[in-house]
Each structure stands twice: as structure tokens, then as C-alpha cells.
Amino acid sequence: MAEQINAVGRRKAAIARVYVAAGDGKIIINKKTLEAYFPSSILQYIVKQPLNLLNAASQYDIKVTLCGGGFKGQAEALRLAIARALVKIDEANKPALRAEGFLTRDARTVERKKPGQPKARRRFQFSKR
């Protein structure tokens, strides 16, 4: 694998663009290290899940552009993007990643606010008289 493989992952309002190349396991997110961008060990674990599943954590350098959403949505968007890139690299990775659910786009987003209501589902209090 001499060239870069790119993939996109989305979750809620977050978008992750990933560029994967052969390397020694560095993950750079918006010009910061993984540990600097996601200080929480839980979010670091979420990001590395597809790599750990395939024992490929130290085989690829990953450069990421993340925008939108909150930190949890960004971590899950990045996980999807990494999984998609790993499938592009080797199609044999697909069944293992699919079984763990890393290739499934979670389409749940925030419901929009309706006019004449305070929130998406909340109504103003009804008064009979």
C-alpha cells in the first residue's frame, strides 16, 4: 500500500475525513495527537476499536479532519471512517468489522424543533378556559 486511502464517517452532526497510509500507528486529528484531541481514555478506545479488532494499530498512520458535533459524535464518526478505510485497504476485513457493527452508520440525529412549540415534542400547557 504505497498510496493514501481516504474515507468519510458521519455521526449526528460530526463529519470525519480520514487519510490512511502505511506507517507506525500515529493518529493525527486536526494537527493534534489523538491523546491531545480526545483526553478521555473511553473516547480513545472508541476511535481505536476497528484497529484493535484487526490487530492493525501499529501498521497505519492516520490523518483526520474532524468538524461539527460534540466529542462523542466525533469519536464515533471517526470510528466509522477508520473502519471504512480498512475495508478499502483489504476487502477481507469487512466480515469482522461488520460483525462488530463498525460499518453501520448510526443515522439517529436530533429531531427538529416545530413552529408554535417550545421544543421538538414538548407542547405549551393546554388551558381549557
Side-chain angles (χ1 to χ4, degrees):
M1 189 185 93
E3 76 285 350
Q4 260 188 352
I5 302 291
N6 59 334
V8 177
R10 294 183 183 89
R11 170 78 173 100
K12 294 184 175 181
I15 301 169
R17 289 178 199 85
V18 166
Y19 304 93
V20 179
D24 56 351
K26 288 195 290 277
I27 300 176
I28 305 297
I29 306 168
N30 294 349
K31 298 179 183 172
K32 293 182 182 178
T33 64
L34 174 67
E35 290 74 22
Y37 197 88
F38 291 122
S40 165
S41 60
I42 295 164
L43 296 178
Q44 291 173 26
Y45 172 75
I46 288 172
V47 169
K48 291 180 181 177
Q49 274 181 311
L51 295 166
N52 292 337
L53 178 70
L54 302 173
N55 297 320
S58 60
Q59 294 177 16
Y60 304 110
D61 281 345
I62 301 173
K63 185 176 170 283
V64 183
T65 308
L66 261 174
C67 63
F71 47 84
K72 174 84 162 145
Q74 285 188 344
E76 292 182 5
L78 181 49
R79 177 176 69 186
L80 176 62
I82 290 171
R84 284 178 171 173
L86 290 171
V87 169
K88 277 187 181 179
I89 290 166
D90 186 6
E91 197 69 30
N93 295 332
K94 192 170 184 174
L97 291 168
R98 170 75 64 201
E100 290 292 321
F102 298 148
L103 292 175
T104 304
R105 158 73 158 104
D106 192 345
R108 295 176 296 171
T109 57
V110 177
E111 190 174 334
R112 77 179 191 90
K113 182 193 169 301
K114 300 353 175 261
Q117 298 174 203
K119 292 167 80 176
R121 303 246 174 136
R122 176 94 176 99
R123 307 285 199 262
F124 289 114
Q125 185 171 358
F126 176 73
S127 172
K128 195 177 248 185
R129 284 173 203 89

